[in-house]
């Protein structure tokens, strides 16, 4: 019956962000942090548990993105597919496994952030309007690089933060 607890926590978080009142005798200040970390840990287990689960949840989308990047970087035309923006819409259940695939979020860093806030600033479970951006850049010499933004913040997925296309 874990889903009942999950639904309760998810509803409380939605009410908090929508400015709706909490149930009687329940305050966000009292329960919010504890319930949020519980939901985040449940998400980490449910959507990014084992390496195999991470692969199952993220591989199709990442392969599609990789295909687009490959087409863009190997074509002689200015825009190989005649687009400058590719937009996908999803849910926290889409974003979480992608973050896990890049080892940006996992149960350990969620727990450490609970114990010591902001000890892992990029390890934040997806909330309302969360987004991931893969930004492909081309310098004046024709070299491509890619960076990952999570909620508009650059996340270091390579040692320099911005990866060459060969990384």
């Amino acid at each position: 019956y874990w889903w009942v607890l999950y639904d309760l926590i998810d509803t409380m978080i939605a009410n908090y962000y929508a400015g709706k009142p909490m149930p009687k005798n329940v305050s966000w200040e009292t329960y919010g942090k504890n319930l949020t970390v519980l939901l985040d840990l449940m998400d980490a287990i449910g959507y990014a548990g084992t390496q195999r689960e991470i692969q199952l949840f993220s591989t199709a989308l990442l392969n599609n993105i990789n295909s687009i990047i490959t087409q863009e970087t190997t074509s002689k035309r200015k825009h190989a597919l005649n687009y400058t923006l590719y937009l996908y819409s999803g849910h926290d259940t889409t974003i979480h496994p992608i973050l896990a695939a890049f080892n940006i979020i996992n149960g350990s860093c969620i727990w450490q952030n609970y114990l010591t806030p902001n000890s892992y600033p990029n390890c934040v479970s997806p909330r309302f309007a969360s987004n991931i951006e893969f930004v492909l850049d081309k310098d004046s010499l024709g070299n491509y690089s890619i960076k990952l933004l999570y909620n508009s913040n650059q996340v270091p997925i390579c040692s320099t933060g911005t990866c060459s296309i060969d990384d």
Side-chain angles (χ1 to χ4, degrees), residues 2 10 28 40 54 61-62 71 75 77 84-85 93 97-98 102-104 106 133 136 138 142 158 162:
W2 63 269
D10 199 39
W28 183 258
D40 292 348
I54 292 168
L61 179 57
L62 288 176
Q71 290 176 40
S75 175
R77 294 181 290 156
T84 56
L85 172 71
T93 58
I98 301 295
F102 286 100
N103 201 32
I104 296 165
N106 57 53
E133 300 171 53
L136 180 65
K138 184 177 180 181
C158 296
T162 300

Side-chain angles (χ1 to χ4, degrees), residues 38-113:
L38 183 58
L39 178 68
D40 292 348
L41 288 169
M42 288 168 44
D43 280 347
I45 293 166
Y47 301 116
T50 67
Q51 191 60 39
R52 180 71 177 144
E53 289 167 336
I54 292 168
Q55 290 170 349
L56 288 171
F57 283 123
S58 64
T59 299
L61 179 57
L62 288 176
N63 281 343
N64 187 273
I65 293 167
N66 184 56
S67 174
I68 290 169
I69 291 170
T70 300
Q71 290 176 40
E72 289 290 337
T73 57
T74 58
S75 175
K76 303 286 187 225
R77 294 181 290 156
K78 183 176 180 182
H79 292 290
L81 301 174
N82 297 320
Y83 299 112
T84 56
L85 172 71
Y86 296 85
L87 180 65
Y88 296 86
S89 179
H91 200 264
D92 58 339
T93 58
T94 309
I95 293 175
H96 202 126
I98 301 295
L99 295 173
F102 286 100
N103 201 32
I104 296 165
I105 191 166
N106 57 53
S108 178
C109 68
I110 290 169
W111 184 247
Q112 288 304 314
N113 275 343

